[in-house]
Amino acid sequence: MNDAAGLFTKLGRITPGDLPSPPEVAIRVMRACANADITSRQLADLVSSDTVLVAELLRVANSPFFGIGREVNSVSQAVVVMGIRSLRNFVLGFSARESLRIGGLPGFDALSYWETVLHRAVSARLLAEMTGVDIDEAFTVGMLQDIGLLSLFLVFPEQAARWERLRGLNPDERHREEQASFGTTHDQVAALLCKSWGLPEELAFPIANHHGDFHDAASLAQLTITRIITCADWIAAVFAATDKRLALARCRKLLGDYFGFNGDTVDQLFAAVPAYVEEVAGALNLSLGPQPSFDEIVGRANRELIETAGQAQDRAPRLEYALAERERLAEELQLAYERLAQLAYYDSLTALVNRRRFDELFSAEIARHSRSGKSLSLVMLDLDHFKKINDSHGHPFGDAVLQSVSGVLKATLRSADVAARIGGEELCLLLPETTVEGGRIAAERVRHAIEKLLFPHERGEVRLTASFGGVTWRCEAQDLQSVRASLRKVPEIMAGIMDSADRMLYLSKKAGRNRLTWADDGLTKKPADPPPRGGRDKV
């Protein structure tokens, strides 16, 4: 490296205008794609101003990746065939690749760089498809996720040979090494690029924040796409990092925490990545060659571990100690992750899911039910006259009441159901794959269990009731296009369901409390006996 002080001085003088930019036509196309009023004819005219871009666009549009089945022989046809989002992806990939090819970086393995880029982009697209997010937007963000590092290499070409080492690190390690080497990181540089290129906020936010503490500042849509590309970064590390076991463990943890994926789902995701990377590489004219399967990746990592142990038998005691120490640290790390998840996702008093985590799970369930067409039910409940209990018996007593109610919810609901505390004494139940009938049975079972609670107090026993409002939602869309349209409106769908359940809760209170009202179902009568415990499982 050059003198550190001189390097930092050089970094301090960088402005967005100093960073590599795509050709002017590419900037115009990207900005046009963000314009909701742009027409296919106008986009075709923009693309047609660059002959190299035209030739590559026609080649890609006629590639097996799009599978049109007929020859595309004009830019206008290509724009229609690809769609606006795919066109934007193509322009971004083509421009970044061409800027690298023109600049030339001695010692830089451009092919392995693009291989890693495609692993991120493909992983982001697959995750988006699984979670109901716009797949083209996720692919775009995945393509641009590491553009800041490429820019750093173009600004400091003497550092380009460091890519091989950086590629073998996991995302956290690489982020720290970038800071030590350049005095800045790829996400910080990418934020400048996004501003310089005029990229829309839907792309700029996740690109700039996938390594940061973005939770408080992010909307639900921003949070979801940012988490998708955070996970995509770690998925790419499983295929490229030296320590694949650590990358895989971290991946499984993130995908479970963020999206509720189990081990089988994660393995299916990994298994789909290599073939998809080959397909996209072919469309982009990148000669990556056959990609090793996920099973081969894991098998290779296991063999290397065995070979290393075999070659170091004379150091067996030290190796055994090192492996045991690593195992101990891994267990401590797992416990630390679990403690952090407990703090981040659960209400400290009741141990129920908190509002932020509830919104994430609610969004994911809407996406899942949109694809399956099954019913999703939501119940809001409010403890009757809870303020009076707090005022009369004190807040510690009120806290104990809330904890007892949370215990009732955990004992009464299915493991797939979600119980959340969304504010004060207001609780929410999310009931996946549950019809109106099943939702009413579940809510009435909870209502009846709360009604039976008895709280001893020095001034006499305290009883408790709760009012309930419920609603069942089902995506009526039959074709894939309609389902995708509904997925783009997940925040509006969530708000509509919550508002409907809240109105039903208000009607229950207005009608005398301690009852359930279901949307479009009128008031329900209080049953003489609680519903049978197994009744809902048959729904």
Side-chain angles (χ1 to χ4, degrees), residues 88-89 92-93 113-125 128 134-148 174 186 202-203 206-207 210 225-226 228-233 236:
R88 183 175 66 187
N89 290 341
L92 287 170
Y113 172 83
W114 283 108
E115 184 176 40
T116 307
V117 167
L118 290 189
H119 272 103
R120 290 194 193 92
V122 161
S123 300
R125 192 185 194 280
D134 187 293
I135 56 177
D136 290 320
E137 181 178 317
F139 187 88
T140 300
V141 176
M143 287 286 289
L144 287 173
Q145 185 173 352
D146 212 32
I147 197 68
R174 189 161 62 89
H186 69 275
E202 65 190 30
L203 302 180
I207 290 169
H210 64 277
I225 189 67
T226 305
I228 281 175
I229 67 164
T230 297
C231 291
D233 207 7

mmCIF file of all heavy atoms in Angstrom, residues 88-89 92-93 113-125 128 134-148 174 186 202-203 206-207 210 225-226 228-233 236:
data_model
loop_
_atom_site.group_PDB
_atom_site.id
_atom_site.type_symbol
_atom_site.label_atom_id
_atom_site.label_comp_id
_atom_site.label_asym_id
_atom_site.label_seq_id
_atom_site.Cartn_x
_atom_site.Cartn_y
_atom_site.Cartn_z
ATOM 1 N N ARG A 88 -33.725 -2.149 -17.076
ATOM 2 C CA ARG A 88 -32.851 -1.422 -16.157
ATOM 3 C C ARG A 88 -31.724 -2.328 -15.657
ATOM 4 O O ARG A 88 -30.570 -1.917 -15.586
ATOM 5 C CB ARG A 88 -33.667 -0.894 -14.969
ATOM 6 C CG ARG A 88 -32.848 -0.068 -13.997
ATOM 7 C CD ARG A 88 -33.712 0.547 -12.911
ATOM 8 N NE ARG A 88 -34.294 -0.471 -12.046
ATOM 9 C CZ ARG A 88 -35.189 -0.222 -11.101
ATOM 10 N NH1 ARG A 88 -35.627 1.001 -10.919
ATOM 11 N NH2 ARG A 88 -35.662 -1.188 -10.346
ATOM 12 N N ASN A 89 -32.056 -3.574 -15.315
ATOM 13 C CA ASN A 89 -31.029 -4.515 -14.874
ATOM 14 C C ASN A 89 -29.966 -4.716 -15.957
ATOM 15 O O ASN A 89 -28.765 -4.741 -15.682
ATOM 16 C CB ASN A 89 -31.655 -5.871 -14.543
ATOM 17 C CG ASN A 89 -32.509 -5.820 -13.302
ATOM 18 O OD1 ASN A 89 -32.374 -4.914 -12.499
ATOM 19 N ND2 ASN A 89 -33.381 -6.788 -13.145
ATOM 20 N N LEU A 92 -27.699 -1.603 -16.298
ATOM 21 C CA LEU A 92 -26.769 -1.491 -15.175
ATOM 22 C C LEU A 92 -25.622 -2.485 -15.317
ATOM 23 O O LEU A 92 -24.449 -2.136 -15.175
ATOM 24 C CB LEU A 92 -27.509 -1.734 -13.861
ATOM 25 C CG LEU A 92 -28.439 -0.624 -13.386
ATOM 26 C CD1 LEU A 92 -29.284 -1.098 -12.219
ATOM 27 C CD2 LEU A 92 -27.643 0.608 -12.993
ATOM 28 N N GLY A 93 -25.966 -3.734 -15.593
ATOM 29 C CA GLY A 93 -24.936 -4.751 -15.727
ATOM 30 C C GLY A 93 -23.998 -4.476 -16.885
ATOM 31 O O GLY A 93 -22.777 -4.588 -16.756
ATOM 32 N N TYR A 113 -14.978 -11.526 -9.942
ATOM 33 C CA TYR A 113 -15.789 -10.433 -9.399
ATOM 34 C C TYR A 113 -17.225 -10.552 -9.897
ATOM 35 O O TYR A 113 -18.178 -10.484 -9.123
ATOM 36 C CB TYR A 113 -15.198 -9.077 -9.787
ATOM 37 C CG TYR A 113 -16.095 -7.921 -9.412
ATOM 38 C CD1 TYR A 113 -16.090 -7.405 -8.124
ATOM 39 C CD2 TYR A 113 -16.991 -7.369 -10.344
ATOM 40 C CE1 TYR A 113 -16.945 -6.360 -7.770
ATOM 41 C CE2 TYR A 113 -17.831 -6.332 -9.998
ATOM 42 C CZ TYR A 113 -17.811 -5.828 -8.706
ATOM 43 O OH TYR A 113 -18.656 -4.808 -8.357
ATOM 44 N N TRP A 114 -17.405 -10.732 -11.216
ATOM 45 C CA TRP A 114 -18.754 -10.812 -11.767
ATOM 46 C C TRP A 114 -19.469 -12.086 -11.343
ATOM 47 O O TRP A 114 -20.689 -12.106 -11.196
ATOM 48 C CB TRP A 114 -18.707 -10.692 -13.291
ATOM 49 C CG TRP A 114 -18.487 -9.262 -13.683
ATOM 50 C CD1 TRP A 114 -17.360 -8.717 -14.196
ATOM 51 C CD2 TRP A 114 -19.415 -8.191 -13.504
ATOM 52 N NE1 TRP A 114 -17.514 -7.360 -14.358
ATOM 53 C CE2 TRP A 114 -18.775 -7.014 -13.947
ATOM 54 C CE3 TRP A 114 -20.708 -8.107 -13.022
ATOM 55 C CZ2 TRP A 114 -19.384 -5.769 -13.912
ATOM 56 C CZ3 TRP A 114 -21.328 -6.870 -12.987
ATOM 57 C CH2 TRP A 114 -20.666 -5.721 -13.433
ATOM 58 N N GLU A 115 -18.712 -13.132 -11.106
ATOM 59 C CA GLU A 115 -19.319 -14.357 -10.593
ATOM 60 C C GLU A 115 -19.944 -14.099 -9.216
ATOM 61 O O GLU A 115 -21.064 -14.522 -8.938
ATOM 62 C CB GLU A 115 -18.259 -15.456 -10.493
ATOM 63 C CG GLU A 115 -18.814 -16.801 -10.056
ATOM 64 C CD GLU A 115 -17.736 -17.868 -10.066
ATOM 65 O OE1 GLU A 115 -16.586 -17.562 -9.665
ATOM 66 O OE2 GLU A 115 -18.034 -19.007 -10.466
ATOM 67 N N THR A 116 -19.219 -13.391 -8.359
ATOM 68 C CA THR A 116 -19.737 -13.076 -7.034
ATOM 69 C C THR A 116 -20.918 -12.120 -7.125
ATOM 70 O O THR A 116 -21.896 -12.255 -6.378
ATOM 71 C CB THR A 116 -18.620 -12.459 -6.161
ATOM 72 O OG1 THR A 116 -17.493 -13.326 -6.163
ATOM 73 C CG2 THR A 116 -19.094 -12.264 -4.734
ATOM 74 N N VAL A 117 -20.839 -11.150 -8.036
ATOM 75 C CA VAL A 117 -21.964 -10.233 -8.249
ATOM 76 C C VAL A 117 -23.227 -11.009 -8.620
ATOM 77 O O VAL A 117 -24.315 -10.772 -8.089
ATOM 78 C CB VAL A 117 -21.633 -9.197 -9.339
ATOM 79 C CG1 VAL A 117 -22.895 -8.454 -9.776
ATOM 80 C CG2 VAL A 117 -20.609 -8.196 -8.826
ATOM 81 N N LEU A 118 -23.080 -11.956 -9.539
ATOM 82 C CA LEU A 118 -24.245 -12.731 -9.973
ATOM 83 C C LEU A 118 -24.768 -13.631 -8.858
ATOM 84 O O LEU A 118 -25.977 -13.859 -8.763
ATOM 85 C CB LEU A 118 -23.910 -13.562 -11.206
ATOM 86 C CG LEU A 118 -23.689 -12.780 -12.504
ATOM 87 C CD1 LEU A 118 -23.595 -13.727 -13.686
ATOM 88 C CD2 LEU A 118 -24.806 -11.766 -12.739
ATOM 89 N N HIS A 119 -23.887 -14.143 -8.011
ATOM 90 C CA HIS A 119 -24.358 -14.925 -6.874
ATOM 91 C C HIS A 119 -25.250 -14.064 -5.968
ATOM 92 O O HIS A 119 -26.283 -14.530 -5.475
ATOM 93 C CB HIS A 119 -23.179 -15.476 -6.066
ATOM 94 C CG HIS A 119 -22.688 -16.794 -6.557
ATOM 95 N ND1 HIS A 119 -21.545 -16.929 -7.314
ATOM 96 C CD2 HIS A 119 -23.191 -18.046 -6.417
ATOM 97 C CE1 HIS A 119 -21.355 -18.199 -7.606
ATOM 98 N NE2 HIS A 119 -22.345 -18.901 -7.086
ATOM 99 N N ARG A 120 -24.853 -12.811 -5.762
ATOM 100 C CA ARG A 120 -25.677 -11.921 -4.936
ATOM 101 C C ARG A 120 -26.998 -11.599 -5.632
ATOM 102 O O ARG A 120 -28.066 -11.656 -5.018
ATOM 103 C CB ARG A 120 -24.927 -10.617 -4.645
ATOM 104 C CG ARG A 120 -23.758 -10.765 -3.712
ATOM 105 C CD ARG A 120 -23.292 -9.390 -3.218
ATOM 106 N NE ARG A 120 -21.998 -9.508 -2.573
ATOM 107 C CZ ARG A 120 -20.835 -9.361 -3.199
ATOM 108 N NH1 ARG A 120 -20.816 -9.066 -4.482
ATOM 109 N NH2 ARG A 120 -19.705 -9.495 -2.542
ATOM 110 N N ALA A 121 -26.919 -11.220 -6.888
ATOM 111 C CA ALA A 121 -28.122 -10.807 -7.616
ATOM 112 C C ALA A 121 -29.126 -11.951 -7.729
ATOM 113 O O ALA A 121 -30.330 -11.777 -7.517
ATOM 114 C CB ALA A 121 -27.744 -10.278 -9.002
ATOM 115 N N VAL A 122 -28.634 -13.131 -8.072
ATOM 116 C CA VAL A 122 -29.510 -14.298 -8.201
ATOM 117 C C VAL A 122 -30.111 -14.672 -6.844
ATOM 118 O O VAL A 122 -31.311 -14.971 -6.740
ATOM 119 C CB VAL A 122 -28.715 -15.482 -8.803
ATOM 120 C CG1 VAL A 122 -29.417 -16.810 -8.538
ATOM 121 C CG2 VAL A 122 -28.524 -15.267 -10.295
ATOM 122 N N SER A 123 -29.289 -14.647 -5.803
ATOM 123 C CA SER A 123 -29.796 -14.963 -4.461
ATOM 124 C C SER A 123 -30.863 -13.968 -4.037
ATOM 125 O O SER A 123 -31.884 -14.349 -3.446
ATOM 126 C CB SER A 123 -28.646 -14.970 -3.453
ATOM 127 O OG SER A 123 -27.664 -15.929 -3.797
ATOM 128 N N ALA A 124 -30.637 -12.689 -4.327
ATOM 129 C CA ALA A 124 -31.627 -11.664 -3.993
ATOM 130 C C ALA A 124 -32.935 -11.903 -4.742
ATOM 131 O O ALA A 124 -34.028 -11.765 -4.188
ATOM 132 C CB ALA A 124 -31.077 -10.276 -4.309
ATOM 133 N N ARG A 125 -32.838 -12.284 -6.009
ATOM 134 C CA ARG A 125 -34.043 -12.531 -6.800
ATOM 135 C C ARG A 125 -34.815 -13.740 -6.271
ATOM 136 O O ARG A 125 -36.040 -13.706 -6.152
ATOM 137 C CB ARG A 125 -33.675 -12.766 -8.269
ATOM 138 C CG ARG A 125 -34.876 -12.748 -9.209
ATOM 139 C CD ARG A 125 -34.477 -13.094 -10.630
ATOM 140 N NE ARG A 125 -35.524 -12.775 -11.593
ATOM 141 C CZ ARG A 125 -36.590 -13.528 -11.820
ATOM 142 N NH1 ARG A 125 -36.754 -14.649 -11.128
ATOM 143 N NH2 ARG A 125 -37.498 -13.163 -12.716
ATOM 144 N N ALA A 128 -36.487 -12.759 -3.064
ATOM 145 C CA ALA A 128 -37.635 -11.893 -3.341
ATOM 146 C C ALA A 128 -38.837 -12.719 -3.782
ATOM 147 O O ALA A 128 -39.970 -12.463 -3.370
ATOM 148 C CB ALA A 128 -37.268 -10.867 -4.413
ATOM 149 N N ASP A 134 -40.741 -7.534 -5.099
ATOM 150 C CA ASP A 134 -40.524 -7.382 -6.536
ATOM 151 C C ASP A 134 -39.188 -8.008 -6.925
ATOM 152 O O ASP A 134 -38.122 -7.572 -6.488
ATOM 153 C CB ASP A 134 -40.533 -5.891 -6.901
ATOM 154 C CG ASP A 134 -40.488 -5.660 -8.402
ATOM 155 O OD1 ASP A 134 -39.451 -5.974 -9.011
ATOM 156 O OD2 ASP A 134 -41.486 -5.170 -8.961
ATOM 157 N N ILE A 135 -39.230 -9.039 -7.760
ATOM 158 C CA ILE A 135 -38.027 -9.805 -8.075
ATOM 159 C C ILE A 135 -37.021 -9.019 -8.909
ATOM 160 O O ILE A 135 -35.815 -9.154 -8.744
ATOM 161 C CB ILE A 135 -38.385 -11.135 -8.773
ATOM 162 C CG1 ILE A 135 -39.231 -10.892 -10.027
ATOM 163 C CG2 ILE A 135 -39.113 -12.067 -7.817
ATOM 164 C CD1 ILE A 135 -39.555 -12.166 -10.804
ATOM 165 N N ASP A 136 -37.519 -8.175 -9.807
ATOM 166 C CA ASP A 136 -36.603 -7.393 -10.642
ATOM 167 C C ASP A 136 -35.896 -6.319 -9.826
ATOM 168 O O ASP A 136 -34.713 -6.038 -10.042
ATOM 169 C CB ASP A 136 -37.363 -6.762 -11.812
ATOM 170 C CG ASP A 136 -37.819 -7.810 -12.826
ATOM 171 O OD1 ASP A 136 -37.045 -8.727 -13.100
ATOM 172 O OD2 ASP A 136 -38.963 -7.708 -13.305
ATOM 173 N N GLU A 137 -36.621 -5.715 -8.894
ATOM 174 C CA GLU A 137 -36.001 -4.717 -8.034
ATOM 175 C C GLU A 137 -34.911 -5.354 -7.178
ATOM 176 O O GLU A 137 -33.816 -4.802 -7.010
ATOM 177 C CB GLU A 137 -37.056 -4.070 -7.139
ATOM 178 C CG GLU A 137 -36.502 -2.991 -6.220
ATOM 179 C CD GLU A 137 -37.591 -2.350 -5.385
ATOM 180 O OE1 GLU A 137 -38.670 -2.062 -5.946
ATOM 181 O OE2 GLU A 137 -37.366 -2.149 -4.185
ATOM 182 N N ALA A 138 -35.199 -6.540 -6.642
ATOM 183 C CA ALA A 138 -34.208 -7.233 -5.819
ATOM 184 C C ALA A 138 -32.977 -7.591 -6.647
ATOM 185 O O ALA A 138 -31.839 -7.465 -6.177
ATOM 186 C CB ALA A 138 -34.829 -8.491 -5.204
ATOM 187 N N PHE A 139 -33.188 -8.050 -7.874
ATOM 188 C CA PHE A 139 -32.064 -8.395 -8.741
ATOM 189 C C PHE A 139 -31.214 -7.157 -9.033
ATOM 190 O O PHE A 139 -29.981 -7.213 -9.018
ATOM 191 C CB PHE A 139 -32.590 -9.000 -10.039
ATOM 192 C CG PHE A 139 -31.520 -9.554 -10.936
ATOM 193 C CD1 PHE A 139 -31.084 -10.856 -10.793
ATOM 194 C CD2 PHE A 139 -30.936 -8.772 -11.931
ATOM 195 C CE1 PHE A 139 -30.088 -11.376 -11.617
ATOM 196 C CE2 PHE A 139 -29.951 -9.278 -12.755
ATOM 197 C CZ PHE A 139 -29.526 -10.584 -12.600
ATOM 198 N N THR A 140 -31.869 -6.023 -9.298
ATOM 199 C CA THR A 140 -31.150 -4.778 -9.559
ATOM 200 C C THR A 140 -30.273 -4.400 -8.373
ATOM 201 O O THR A 140 -29.090 -4.078 -8.524
ATOM 202 C CB THR A 140 -32.138 -3.628 -9.839
ATOM 203 O OG1 THR A 140 -32.933 -3.960 -10.971
ATOM 204 C CG2 THR A 140 -31.405 -2.332 -10.106
ATOM 205 N N VAL A 141 -30.863 -4.431 -7.174
ATOM 206 C CA VAL A 141 -30.099 -4.064 -5.975
ATOM 207 C C VAL A 141 -28.940 -5.036 -5.770
ATOM 208 O O VAL A 141 -27.826 -4.629 -5.422
ATOM 209 C CB VAL A 141 -31.019 -4.038 -4.738
ATOM 210 C CG1 VAL A 141 -30.207 -3.742 -3.481
ATOM 211 C CG2 VAL A 141 -32.098 -2.973 -4.890
ATOM 212 N N GLY A 142 -29.187 -6.330 -6.009
ATOM 213 C CA GLY A 142 -28.109 -7.303 -5.882
ATOM 214 C C GLY A 142 -26.970 -7.031 -6.851
ATOM 215 O O GLY A 142 -25.789 -7.203 -6.514
ATOM 216 N N MET A 143 -27.289 -6.616 -8.072
ATOM 217 C CA MET A 143 -26.258 -6.288 -9.054
ATOM 218 C C MET A 143 -25.414 -5.095 -8.609
ATOM 219 O O MET A 143 -24.207 -5.029 -8.858
ATOM 220 C CB MET A 143 -26.905 -5.980 -10.408
ATOM 221 C CG MET A 143 -27.452 -7.178 -11.151
ATOM 222 S SD MET A 143 -26.176 -8.217 -11.887
ATOM 223 C CE MET A 143 -25.592 -7.186 -13.229
ATOM 224 N N LEU A 144 -26.060 -4.127 -7.972
ATOM 225 C CA LEU A 144 -25.369 -2.892 -7.591
ATOM 226 C C LEU A 144 -24.804 -2.925 -6.178
ATOM 227 O O LEU A 144 -24.112 -1.995 -5.765
ATOM 228 C CB LEU A 144 -26.345 -1.709 -7.696
ATOM 229 C CG LEU A 144 -26.710 -1.262 -9.106
ATOM 230 C CD1 LEU A 144 -27.797 -0.205 -9.054
ATOM 231 C CD2 LEU A 144 -25.493 -0.734 -9.839
ATOM 232 N N GLN A 145 -25.107 -3.981 -5.434
ATOM 233 C CA GLN A 145 -24.764 -4.044 -4.019
ATOM 234 C C GLN A 145 -23.278 -3.797 -3.749
ATOM 235 O O GLN A 145 -22.909 -3.140 -2.782
ATOM 236 C CB GLN A 145 -25.169 -5.419 -3.492
ATOM 237 C CG GLN A 145 -24.992 -5.634 -2.007
ATOM 238 C CD GLN A 145 -25.585 -6.969 -1.593
ATOM 239 O OE1 GLN A 145 -26.240 -7.639 -2.375
ATOM 240 N NE2 GLN A 145 -25.368 -7.355 -0.354
ATOM 241 N N ASP A 146 -22.407 -4.304 -4.615
ATOM 242 C CA ASP A 146 -20.967 -4.208 -4.386
ATOM 243 C C ASP A 146 -20.283 -3.239 -5.345
ATOM 244 O O ASP A 146 -19.065 -3.261 -5.482
ATOM 245 C CB ASP A 146 -20.347 -5.598 -4.534
ATOM 246 C CG ASP A 146 -19.146 -5.783 -3.617
ATOM 247 O OD1 ASP A 146 -19.148 -5.186 -2.533
ATOM 248 O OD2 ASP A 146 -18.225 -6.526 -3.987
ATOM 249 N N ILE A 147 -21.074 -2.384 -6.009
ATOM 250 C CA ILE A 147 -20.497 -1.474 -6.993
ATOM 251 C C ILE A 147 -19.513 -0.497 -6.345
ATOM 252 O O ILE A 147 -18.592 0.007 -6.988
ATOM 253 C CB ILE A 147 -21.611 -0.693 -7.748
ATOM 254 C CG1 ILE A 147 -21.066 -0.070 -9.024
ATOM 255 C CG2 ILE A 147 -22.279 0.327 -6.852
ATOM 256 C CD1 ILE A 147 -20.691 -1.078 -10.080
ATOM 257 N N GLY A 148 -19.688 -0.244 -5.027
ATOM 258 C CA GLY A 148 -18.767 0.655 -4.328
ATOM 259 C C GLY A 148 -17.359 0.126 -4.280
ATOM 260 O O GLY A 148 -16.384 0.886 -4.393
ATOM 261 N N ARG A 174 -14.932 -8.619 5.430
ATOM 262 C CA ARG A 174 -14.566 -7.794 4.273
ATOM 263 C C ARG A 174 -14.851 -6.319 4.549
ATOM 264 O O ARG A 174 -14.065 -5.438 4.172
ATOM 265 C CB ARG A 174 -15.336 -8.268 3.043
ATOM 266 C CG ARG A 174 -14.871 -7.627 1.758
ATOM 267 C CD ARG A 174 -15.309 -8.440 0.561
ATOM 268 N NE ARG A 174 -16.751 -8.515 0.461
ATOM 269 C CZ ARG A 174 -17.499 -7.621 -0.195
ATOM 270 N NH1 ARG A 174 -16.915 -6.601 -0.804
ATOM 271 N NH2 ARG A 174 -18.797 -7.748 -0.264
ATOM 272 N N HIS A 186 -17.486 -0.119 0.857
ATOM 273 C CA HIS A 186 -18.214 -0.155 -0.412
ATOM 274 C C HIS A 186 -19.621 0.414 -0.293
ATOM 275 O O HIS A 186 -20.121 1.035 -1.226
ATOM 276 C CB HIS A 186 -18.263 -1.582 -0.954
ATOM 277 C CG HIS A 186 -19.118 -2.516 -0.171
ATOM 278 N ND1 HIS A 186 -18.658 -3.193 0.946
ATOM 279 C CD2 HIS A 186 -20.411 -2.893 -0.331
ATOM 280 C CE1 HIS A 186 -19.624 -3.942 1.417
ATOM 281 N NE2 HIS A 186 -20.697 -3.789 0.679
ATOM 282 N N GLU A 202 -35.818 3.675 -3.765
ATOM 283 C CA GLU A 202 -36.110 2.250 -3.571
ATOM 284 C C GLU A 202 -34.881 1.391 -3.825
ATOM 285 O O GLU A 202 -34.760 0.290 -3.277
ATOM 286 C CB GLU A 202 -37.251 1.809 -4.489
ATOM 287 C CG GLU A 202 -36.910 1.888 -5.968
ATOM 288 C CD GLU A 202 -38.115 1.679 -6.865
ATOM 289 O OE1 GLU A 202 -39.227 2.020 -6.450
ATOM 290 O OE2 GLU A 202 -37.916 1.169 -7.988
ATOM 291 N N LEU A 203 -33.952 1.889 -4.660
ATOM 292 C CA LEU A 203 -32.691 1.198 -4.892
ATOM 293 C C LEU A 203 -31.591 1.732 -3.982
ATOM 294 O O LEU A 203 -30.792 0.971 -3.444
ATOM 295 C CB LEU A 203 -32.244 1.358 -6.350
ATOM 296 C CG LEU A 203 -33.190 0.867 -7.440
ATOM 297 C CD1 LEU A 203 -32.571 1.101 -8.811
ATOM 298 C CD2 LEU A 203 -33.510 -0.600 -7.257
ATOM 299 N N PRO A 206 -31.420 0.414 0.213
ATOM 300 C CA PRO A 206 -30.797 -0.864 0.580
ATOM 301 C C PRO A 206 -29.329 -0.958 0.179
ATOM 302 O O PRO A 206 -28.536 -1.574 0.897
ATOM 303 C CB PRO A 206 -31.643 -1.901 -0.164
ATOM 304 C CG PRO A 206 -32.352 -1.151 -1.238
ATOM 305 C CD PRO A 206 -32.558 0.216 -0.719
ATOM 306 N N ILE A 207 -28.959 -0.356 -0.955
ATOM 307 C CA ILE A 207 -27.560 -0.399 -1.379
ATOM 308 C C ILE A 207 -26.676 0.306 -0.351
ATOM 309 O O ILE A 207 -25.591 -0.169 -0.020
ATOM 310 C CB ILE A 207 -27.404 0.270 -2.762
ATOM 311 C CG1 ILE A 207 -28.065 -0.604 -3.839
ATOM 312 C CG2 ILE A 207 -25.931 0.494 -3.099
ATOM 313 C CD1 ILE A 207 -28.204 0.088 -5.181
ATOM 314 N N HIS A 210 -27.152 -1.823 3.694
ATOM 315 C CA HIS A 210 -27.200 -3.249 4.000
ATOM 316 C C HIS A 210 -26.159 -3.698 5.015
ATOM 317 O O HIS A 210 -26.206 -4.836 5.474
ATOM 318 C CB HIS A 210 -27.084 -4.083 2.707
ATOM 319 C CG HIS A 210 -25.786 -3.939 1.990
ATOM 320 N ND1 HIS A 210 -25.533 -2.899 1.121
ATOM 321 C CD2 HIS A 210 -24.671 -4.717 1.979
ATOM 322 C CE1 HIS A 210 -24.322 -3.037 0.628
ATOM 323 N NE2 HIS A 210 -23.780 -4.133 1.118
ATOM 324 N N ILE A 225 -36.391 -5.341 1.667
ATOM 325 C CA ILE A 225 -35.430 -5.453 0.563
ATOM 326 C C ILE A 225 -33.993 -5.351 1.088
ATOM 327 O O ILE A 225 -33.087 -6.021 0.588
ATOM 328 C CB ILE A 225 -35.695 -4.378 -0.526
ATOM 329 C CG1 ILE A 225 -34.834 -4.645 -1.764
ATOM 330 C CG2 ILE A 225 -35.475 -2.994 -0.014
ATOM 331 C CD1 ILE A 225 -35.177 -5.893 -2.514
ATOM 332 N N THR A 226 -33.776 -4.547 2.137
ATOM 333 C CA THR A 226 -32.438 -4.429 2.709
ATOM 334 C C THR A 226 -32.021 -5.739 3.361
ATOM 335 O O THR A 226 -30.873 -6.180 3.227
ATOM 336 C CB THR A 226 -32.383 -3.285 3.735
ATOM 337 O OG1 THR A 226 -32.845 -2.071 3.124
ATOM 338 C CG2 THR A 226 -30.962 -3.057 4.233
ATOM 339 N N ILE A 228 -33.127 -8.640 2.483
ATOM 340 C CA ILE A 228 -32.925 -9.596 1.393
ATOM 341 C C ILE A 228 -31.495 -9.513 0.870
ATOM 342 O O ILE A 228 -30.829 -10.535 0.687
ATOM 343 C CB ILE A 228 -33.944 -9.348 0.266
ATOM 344 C CG1 ILE A 228 -35.309 -9.947 0.652
ATOM 345 C CG2 ILE A 228 -33.468 -9.948 -1.059
ATOM 346 C CD1 ILE A 228 -36.412 -9.651 -0.330
ATOM 347 N N ILE A 229 -30.998 -8.309 0.623
ATOM 348 C CA ILE A 229 -29.648 -8.233 0.052
ATOM 349 C C ILE A 229 -28.571 -8.454 1.112
ATOM 350 O O ILE A 229 -27.453 -8.837 0.785
ATOM 351 C CB ILE A 229 -29.416 -6.920 -0.732
ATOM 352 C CG1 ILE A 229 -29.412 -5.693 0.164
ATOM 353 C CG2 ILE A 229 -30.423 -6.777 -1.837
ATOM 354 C CD1 ILE A 229 -28.812 -4.493 -0.522
ATOM 355 N N THR A 230 -28.889 -8.221 2.386
ATOM 356 C CA THR A 230 -27.958 -8.625 3.445
ATOM 357 C C THR A 230 -27.770 -10.133 3.410
ATOM 358 O O THR A 230 -26.652 -10.649 3.459
ATOM 359 C CB THR A 230 -28.484 -8.186 4.818
ATOM 360 O OG1 THR A 230 -28.577 -6.758 4.876
ATOM 361 C CG2 THR A 230 -27.554 -8.651 5.934
ATOM 362 N N CYS A 231 -28.883 -10.855 3.320
ATOM 363 C CA CYS A 231 -28.816 -12.319 3.233
ATOM 364 C C CYS A 231 -28.143 -12.763 1.932
ATOM 365 O O CYS A 231 -27.363 -13.722 1.922
ATOM 366 C CB CYS A 231 -30.217 -12.916 3.327
ATOM 367 S SG CYS A 231 -30.985 -12.753 4.960
ATOM 368 N N ALA A 232 -28.426 -12.072 0.827
ATOM 369 C CA ALA A 232 -27.809 -12.421 -0.452
ATOM 370 C C ALA A 232 -26.290 -12.296 -0.375
ATOM 371 O O ALA A 232 -25.555 -13.095 -0.981
ATOM 372 C CB ALA A 232 -28.358 -11.531 -1.560
ATOM 373 N N ASP A 233 -25.802 -11.312 0.356
ATOM 374 C CA ASP A 233 -24.360 -11.128 0.535
ATOM 375 C C ASP A 233 -23.753 -12.344 1.236
ATOM 376 O O ASP A 233 -22.685 -12.836 0.842
ATOM 377 C CB ASP A 233 -24.125 -9.867 1.365
ATOM 378 C CG ASP A 233 -22.783 -9.216 1.074
ATOM 379 O OD1 ASP A 233 -22.087 -9.662 0.147
ATOM 380 O OD2 ASP A 233 -22.435 -8.253 1.785
ATOM 381 N N ALA A 236 -23.782 -15.474 -1.087
ATOM 382 C CA ALA A 236 -22.641 -15.427 -2.006
ATOM 383 C C ALA A 236 -21.360 -15.870 -1.299
ATOM 384 O O ALA A 236 -20.503 -16.524 -1.895
ATOM 385 C CB ALA A 236 -22.485 -14.021 -2.579
#
